[in-house]
Amino acid sequence: MQIDIITAFPEIVSEPLSASIPAQAEKKGLVEYRIHDLRDFTTDKHRQIDDLPYGGGPGMILKPEPLFRAVEALREQCENHSRCEVIYPTPQGTPFTQKSAENLRGLEHLIFICGRYKGIDERVREQLVTMEISLGDFVLSGGEIPALAIIDSTVRLLPGVLQDPESAETDSFSSRLLDGPHYTRPEEFRGLKVPEILLSGHHAKIREWREEQRLTRTRERRSDLLVEK
């Protein structure tokens, strides 16, 4: 998978992608990250990427010219356009879920447009963006953090990234249930003991207990997940 990130602040995304699971995925040759400074696609001497909104109002808008140049140059490198998405993280987008990550992992090329300031010129959304994604009902300073969250949740699902694929299969939201409690050594800590069932060695009963714990936690915290849709 090739992942391109167009941003006015490359330093925000470069460090997180060079650590932990995202970095391991790249080292294994399963994904390639390419970070592009939006200013590199400008043509004026001031490298201007934003301007005042038509009609007045607060904030600045990212200009269409550098964004069109950037996306069009990157899309030319995609051999199969049906397996390429141009993603714009925005509070106005479709809510991102675990299912969304599972769908994205089957693509070959993801291009992220990281918005800034008041947003991007609407013509970019109309002509270039193929997918708008929201992380929730809140606003961040830019699209870099949402892009990183989407990338991380997607890349970890690629075959061969995690040493134990079952780790992802039992995560919260991989089914309709949240993940349950986990314990490790020591067996007792400050008077708090690991549940006896986990020490029993009876794998069938342990699986049954864990499923019960997942169901209980889901009922208590996210009962909406148990409603048939």
Side-chain angles (χ1 to χ4, degrees):
M1 175 182 285
Q2 179 173 311
I3 298 179
D4 288 287
I5 307 164
I6 304 167
T7 171
F9 297 92
E11 62 274 17
I12 295 179
V13 296
S14 59
E15 190 68 21
L17 294 178
S18 64
S20 190
I21 300 299
Q24 292 177 30
E26 187 167 39
K27 289 178 181 178
K28 292 179 179 179
L30 301 173
V31 64
E32 178 186 5
Y33 308 114
R34 301 194 308 176
I35 303 169
H36 309 276
D37 189 335
L38 182 58
R39 293 174 180 82
D40 291 340
F41 296 90
T42 59
T43 56
D44 64 295
K45 65 178 181 179
H46 300 295
R47 306 181 79 203
Q48 185 177 356
I49 59 172
D50 60 344
D51 211 332
L52 296 168
Y54 276 118
M60 301 290 280
I61 309 297
L62 288 181
K63 293 166 61 66
E65 303 98 322
L67 285 171
F68 266 80
R69 292 191 192 97
V71 173
E72 289 176 346
L74 296 175
R75 279 202 310 198
E76 287 181 0
Q77 302 170 20
C78 184
E79 297 180 359
N80 187 346
H81 288 281
S82 66
R83 294 174 62 79
C84 173
E85 293 282 0
V86 179
I87 300 172
Y88 176 49
T90 168
Q92 303 163 38
T94 301
F96 189 71
T97 65
Q98 185 68 18
K99 185 63 176 179
S100 305
E102 292 170 1
N103 291 336
L104 288 179
R105 72 173 172 179
L107 300 175
E108 296 176 355
H109 193 181
L110 305 181
I111 301 173
F112 286 87
I113 297 176
C114 297
R116 273 281 152 177
Y117 317 121
K118 192 64 177 175
I120 64 176
D121 188 287
E122 188 67 16
R123 290 165 289 191
V124 176
R125 300 172 78 162
E126 293 174 349
Q127 300 297 317
L128 299 178
V129 174
T130 60
M131 183 180 293
E132 298 190 10
I133 294 178
S134 170
L135 291 193
D137 298 339
F138 56 91
V139 178
L140 295 171
S141 300
E144 289 80 10
I145 292 175
L148 287 170
I150 296 166
I151 291 168
D152 187 282
S153 61
T154 300
V155 165
R156 68 190 304 276
L157 297 177
L158 295 175
V161 171
L162 298 180
Q163 291 184 350
D164 184 359
E166 187 178 350
S167 176
E169 294 171 3
T170 56
D171 284 341
S172 295
F173 307 114
S174 293
S175 65
R176 288 192 300 163
L177 302 181
L178 299 179
D179 200 3
H182 298 282
Y183 299 85
T184 188
R185 294 180 177 84
E187 184 176 324
E188 182 175 343
F189 176 71
R190 295 186 177 180
L192 303 172
K193 296 183 178 181
V194 174
E196 288 293 333
I197 184 65
L198 298 178
L199 308 175
S200 68
H202 197 303
H203 299 298
K205 289 185 177 180
I206 290 174
R207 283 194 297 269
E208 182 179 345
W209 179 85
R210 283 176 170 162
E211 195 67 14
E212 290 174 353
Q213 293 298 311
R214 296 182 70 195
L215 183 58
T216 298
R217 181 162 290 185
T218 305
R219 282 185 180 139
E220 294 174 348
R221 304 183 183 187
R222 289 292 305 275
S223 59
D224 59 294
L225 294 174
L226 299 175
V227 177
E228 290 288 346
K229 297 181 180 179

